[in-house]
mmCIF file of all heavy atoms in Angstrom:
data_model
loop_
_atom_site.group_PDB
_atom_site.id
_atom_site.type_symbol
_atom_site.label_atom_id
_atom_site.label_comp_id
_atom_site.label_asym_id
_atom_site.label_seq_id
_atom_site.Cartn_x
_atom_site.Cartn_y
_atom_site.Cartn_z
ATOM 1 N N LYS A 118 105.886 1.153 48.538
ATOM 2 C CA LYS A 118 107.082 1.991 48.548
ATOM 3 C C LYS A 118 108.315 1.168 48.166
ATOM 4 O O LYS A 118 108.391 -0.013 48.456
ATOM 5 C CB LYS A 118 107.302 2.587 49.931
ATOM 6 C CG LYS A 118 106.251 3.581 50.359
ATOM 7 C CD LYS A 118 106.608 4.171 51.703
ATOM 8 C CE LYS A 118 105.555 5.078 52.267
ATOM 9 N NZ LYS A 118 104.954 6.013 51.397
ATOM 10 N N GLN A 119 109.263 1.833 47.530
ATOM 11 C CA GLN A 119 110.564 1.228 47.264
ATOM 12 C C GLN A 119 111.587 1.991 48.095
ATOM 13 O O GLN A 119 112.019 3.078 47.723
ATOM 14 C CB GLN A 119 110.924 1.290 45.784
ATOM 15 C CG GLN A 119 112.240 0.613 45.491
ATOM 16 C CD GLN A 119 112.555 0.578 44.002
ATOM 17 O OE1 GLN A 119 111.683 0.682 43.166
ATOM 18 N NE2 GLN A 119 113.830 0.444 43.694
ATOM 19 N N LEU A 120 111.938 1.414 49.232
ATOM 20 C CA LEU A 120 112.883 2.048 50.139
ATOM 21 C C LEU A 120 114.281 1.525 49.857
ATOM 22 O O LEU A 120 114.462 0.397 49.388
ATOM 23 C CB LEU A 120 112.475 1.780 51.586
ATOM 24 C CG LEU A 120 111.078 2.282 51.963
ATOM 25 C CD1 LEU A 120 110.739 1.892 53.397
ATOM 26 C CD2 LEU A 120 110.964 3.778 51.761
ATOM 27 N N LEU A 121 115.267 2.351 50.142
ATOM 28 C CA LEU A 121 116.666 2.031 49.885
ATOM 29 C C LEU A 121 117.413 1.911 51.201
ATOM 30 O O LEU A 121 116.902 2.265 52.268
ATOM 31 C CB LEU A 121 117.298 3.134 49.029
ATOM 32 C CG LEU A 121 116.582 3.502 47.735
ATOM 33 C CD1 LEU A 121 117.291 4.667 47.056
ATOM 34 C CD2 LEU A 121 116.456 2.307 46.807
ATOM 35 N N SER A 122 118.638 1.469 51.128
ATOM 36 C CA SER A 122 119.498 1.454 52.315
ATOM 37 C C SER A 122 119.953 2.883 52.595
ATOM 38 O O SER A 122 119.939 3.742 51.701
ATOM 39 C CB SER A 122 120.711 0.551 52.075
ATOM 40 O OG SER A 122 121.581 1.156 51.133
ATOM 41 N N GLU A 123 120.411 3.124 53.801
ATOM 42 C CA GLU A 123 120.908 4.469 54.140
ATOM 43 C C GLU A 123 122.091 4.833 53.254
ATOM 44 O O GLU A 123 122.235 5.980 52.839
ATOM 45 C CB GLU A 123 121.263 4.572 55.623
ATOM 46 C CG GLU A 123 120.045 4.618 56.538
ATOM 47 C CD GLU A 123 119.053 5.724 56.194
ATOM 48 O OE1 GLU A 123 119.472 6.892 55.987
ATOM 49 O OE2 GLU A 123 117.839 5.428 56.134
ATOM 50 N N GLY A 124 122.923 3.868 52.925
ATOM 51 C CA GLY A 124 124.055 4.117 52.036
ATOM 52 C C GLY A 124 123.603 4.535 50.645
ATOM 53 O O GLY A 124 124.201 5.429 50.034
ATOM 54 N N GLU A 125 122.545 3.897 50.134
ATOM 55 C CA GLU A 125 122.023 4.267 48.819
ATOM 56 C C GLU A 125 121.430 5.674 48.841
ATOM 57 O O GLU A 125 121.620 6.450 47.905
ATOM 58 C CB GLU A 125 120.972 3.253 48.359
ATOM 59 C CG GLU A 125 121.555 1.897 48.014
ATOM 60 C CD GLU A 125 120.496 0.839 47.791
ATOM 61 O OE1 GLU A 125 119.602 0.677 48.660
ATOM 62 O OE2 GLU A 125 120.554 0.174 46.736
ATOM 63 N N TYR A 126 120.723 6.005 49.936
ATOM 64 C CA TYR A 126 120.197 7.371 50.059
ATOM 65 C C TYR A 126 121.341 8.369 50.106
ATOM 66 O O TYR A 126 121.297 9.402 49.443
ATOM 67 C CB TYR A 126 119.340 7.529 51.314
ATOM 68 C CG TYR A 126 117.997 6.861 51.255
ATOM 69 C CD1 TYR A 126 117.603 5.980 52.253
ATOM 70 C CD2 TYR A 126 117.103 7.118 50.214
ATOM 71 C CE1 TYR A 126 116.363 5.374 52.221
ATOM 72 C CE2 TYR A 126 115.861 6.510 50.173
ATOM 73 C CZ TYR A 126 115.499 5.631 51.181
ATOM 74 O OH TYR A 126 114.279 5.024 51.138
ATOM 75 N N ASP A 127 122.370 8.053 50.885
ATOM 76 C CA ASP A 127 123.524 8.955 50.997
ATOM 77 C C ASP A 127 124.140 9.208 49.626
ATOM 78 O O ASP A 127 124.491 10.340 49.294
ATOM 79 C CB ASP A 127 124.591 8.380 51.938
ATOM 80 C CG ASP A 127 124.165 8.386 53.391
ATOM 81 O OD1 ASP A 127 123.172 9.068 53.738
ATOM 82 O OD2 ASP A 127 124.823 7.677 54.193
ATOM 83 N N GLU A 128 124.254 8.159 48.821
ATOM 84 C CA GLU A 128 124.838 8.283 47.485
ATOM 85 C C GLU A 128 123.971 9.182 46.595
ATOM 86 O O GLU A 128 124.495 10.051 45.889
ATOM 87 C CB GLU A 128 124.972 6.891 46.871
ATOM 88 C CG GLU A 128 125.656 6.861 45.534
ATOM 89 C CD GLU A 128 125.768 5.431 45.013
ATOM 90 O OE1 GLU A 128 126.189 4.547 45.782
ATOM 91 O OE2 GLU A 128 125.426 5.228 43.834
ATOM 92 N N LEU A 129 122.656 8.992 46.630
ATOM 93 C CA LEU A 129 121.759 9.822 45.813
ATOM 94 C C LEU A 129 121.798 11.276 46.257
ATOM 95 O O LEU A 129 121.870 12.189 45.427
ATOM 96 C CB LEU A 129 120.322 9.294 45.887
ATOM 97 C CG LEU A 129 120.045 7.952 45.224
ATOM 98 C CD1 LEU A 129 118.590 7.541 45.461
ATOM 99 C CD2 LEU A 129 120.357 7.997 43.748
ATOM 100 N N VAL A 130 121.747 11.504 47.560
ATOM 101 C CA VAL A 130 121.787 12.871 48.087
ATOM 102 C C VAL A 130 123.103 13.539 47.720
ATOM 103 O O VAL A 130 123.123 14.692 47.283
ATOM 104 C CB VAL A 130 121.542 12.879 49.616
ATOM 105 C CG1 VAL A 130 121.881 14.235 50.220
ATOM 106 C CG2 VAL A 130 120.106 12.492 49.927
ATOM 107 N N ARG A 131 124.193 12.831 47.859
ATOM 108 C CA ARG A 131 125.508 13.382 47.529
ATOM 109 C C ARG A 131 125.581 13.769 46.049
ATOM 110 O O ARG A 131 126.055 14.850 45.700
ATOM 111 C CB ARG A 131 126.593 12.358 47.887
ATOM 112 C CG ARG A 131 127.978 12.895 47.972
ATOM 113 C CD ARG A 131 129.038 11.936 48.536
ATOM 114 N NE ARG A 131 128.724 10.524 48.526
ATOM 115 C CZ ARG A 131 128.324 9.821 49.604
ATOM 116 N NH1 ARG A 131 128.179 10.423 50.777
ATOM 117 N NH2 ARG A 131 128.089 8.530 49.522
ATOM 118 N N ALA A 132 125.072 12.896 45.183
ATOM 119 C CA ALA A 132 125.094 13.182 43.739
ATOM 120 C C ALA A 132 124.204 14.391 43.404
ATOM 121 O O ALA A 132 124.620 15.273 42.647
ATOM 122 C CB ALA A 132 124.625 11.959 42.951
ATOM 123 N N LEU A 133 123.013 14.442 43.971
ATOM 124 C CA LEU A 133 122.115 15.576 43.727
ATOM 125 C C LEU A 133 122.711 16.873 44.260
ATOM 126 O O LEU A 133 122.689 17.897 43.580
ATOM 127 C CB LEU A 133 120.747 15.326 44.354
ATOM 128 C CG LEU A 133 119.848 14.361 43.600
ATOM 129 C CD1 LEU A 133 118.742 13.825 44.520
ATOM 130 C CD2 LEU A 133 119.240 15.044 42.385
#
Side-chain angles (χ1 to χ4, degrees):
K118 293 183 185 316
Q119 182 176 338
L120 301 177
L121 307 176
S122 70
E123 287 305 313
E125 290 170 309
Y126 287 127
D127 290 346
E128 184 179 312
L129 291 177
V130 168
R131 196 171 19 258
L133 284 161

